[in-house]
Amino acid sequence: FGGSSTGMIGKLHHMLTGCSCLWMCLGWCFGPRCTRALNYVEDVCCWRPNPLLQLFYVFLIAGGYLLYFFNSVPYIPNERLSVWHFHSGNAVVVGGLV
């Protein structure tokens, strides 16, 4: 039962998340060469270790932390936020990088 099954639920899961309709439409409109190229791009971006995507993730985490640090930290602590919010924010960033 679930997305990995071969029953009705698994087929519905694959239909909704697998983009099979998109691949068929691209195959009809642009031919098999286009679908092979898109399959290759999907394989490289989604299923292989990719250092560019890893760097993108690190930059997203760093950018979010900088926004937090410069926009939120000056207001911690106050009457509504205690000091533990500062420490928990740092722990979330460390957890995201680990």
Side-chain angles (χ1 to χ4, degrees), residues 19-59:
C19 298
S20 59
C21 180
L22 175 67
W23 296 123
M24 287 184 349
C25 290
L26 287 173
W28 289 335
C29 294
F30 300 108
R33 185 175 176 188
C34 177
T35 56
R36 280 194 309 269
L38 287 175
N39 278 331
Y40 175 74
V41 168
E42 178 191 20
D43 183 50
V44 168
C45 289
C46 299
W47 306 114
R48 292 185 191 173
N50 191 341
L52 290 177
L53 289 177
Q54 293 171 358
L55 283 173
F56 179 69
Y57 177 75
V58 168
F59 285 130

Side-chain angles (χ1 to χ4, degrees), residues 1-18:
F1 187 77
S4 62
S5 71
T6 57
M8 185 175 114
I9 300 294
K11 289 178 183 177
L12 283 173
H13 174 77
H14 181 67
M15 183 179 77
L16 291 172
T17 60

Side-chain angles (χ1 to χ4, degrees), residues 53-66 88-98:
L53 289 177
Q54 293 171 358
L55 283 173
F56 179 69
Y57 177 75
V58 168
F59 285 130
L60 280 177
I61 295 289
Y65 182 73
L66 287 173
S88 65
N90 291 329
V92 166
V93 171
V94 169
L97 290 174
V98 172

Side-chain angles (χ1 to χ4, degrees), residues 75-87:
Y75 300 109
I76 299 173
N78 63 28
E79 64 272 359
R80 293 188 179 140
L81 292 175
S82 61
V83 172
W84 71 267
H85 285 88
F86 173 72
H87 300 298

